[in-house]
Amino acid sequence: CKGSDTMTIDISLFKQILECAMLAAGERLSLERLQQLFAEEERPELSEIRGVLAQIESECQSRGLNLKEVASGYCLQIQPQLQ
């Protein structure tokens, strides 16, 4: 049911989809564009995507990556000291 906070997709798969899309895109991806990665019946709410992005951001710090948010969207970058 659209509008419920119950995700139909496994959280680890959700994270993997978002991370891989951001790494492969070569450009910043908006929340709406990230939302379109999912089939309509499994499409998460924008608030759910924001929540998963926050989890990815905290997990990335120990993996040498930074999740960057700018006006045009989100991207994953290598931490400056590792470049």
Side-chain angles (χ1 to χ4, degrees):
C1 161
K2 198 82 167 143
S4 72
D5 283 332
T6 308
M7 287 189 284
T8 59
I9 188 168
D10 175 70
I11 189 71
S12 62
L13 178 58
F14 193 171
K15 288 178 190 177
Q16 288 174 353
I17 290 169
L18 295 182
E19 288 179 357
C20 289
M22 288 185 288
L23 287 170
E27 63 184 19
R28 290 167 176 85
L29 299 176
S30 67
L31 286 172
E32 293 78 12
R33 186 120 177 251
L34 291 169
Q35 189 180 44
Q36 293 171 359
L37 296 170
F38 300 88
E40 191 165 341
E41 63 276 0
E42 294 184 335
R43 195 162 289 159
E45 296 292 328
L46 295 178
S47 61
E48 293 172 320
I49 295 173
R50 279 189 202 96
V52 171
L53 287 170
Q55 290 178 31
I56 291 171
E57 182 177 24
S58 66
E59 293 168 5
C60 279
Q61 294 175 7
S62 65
R63 296 180 11 218
L65 296 170
N66 287 329
L67 177 66
K68 289 287 192 186
E69 178 185 6
V70 294
S72 58
Y74 293 85
C75 67
L76 282 174
Q77 298 177 332
I78 297 170
Q79 290 180 357
Q81 68 270 22
L82 299 176
Q83 292 183 6

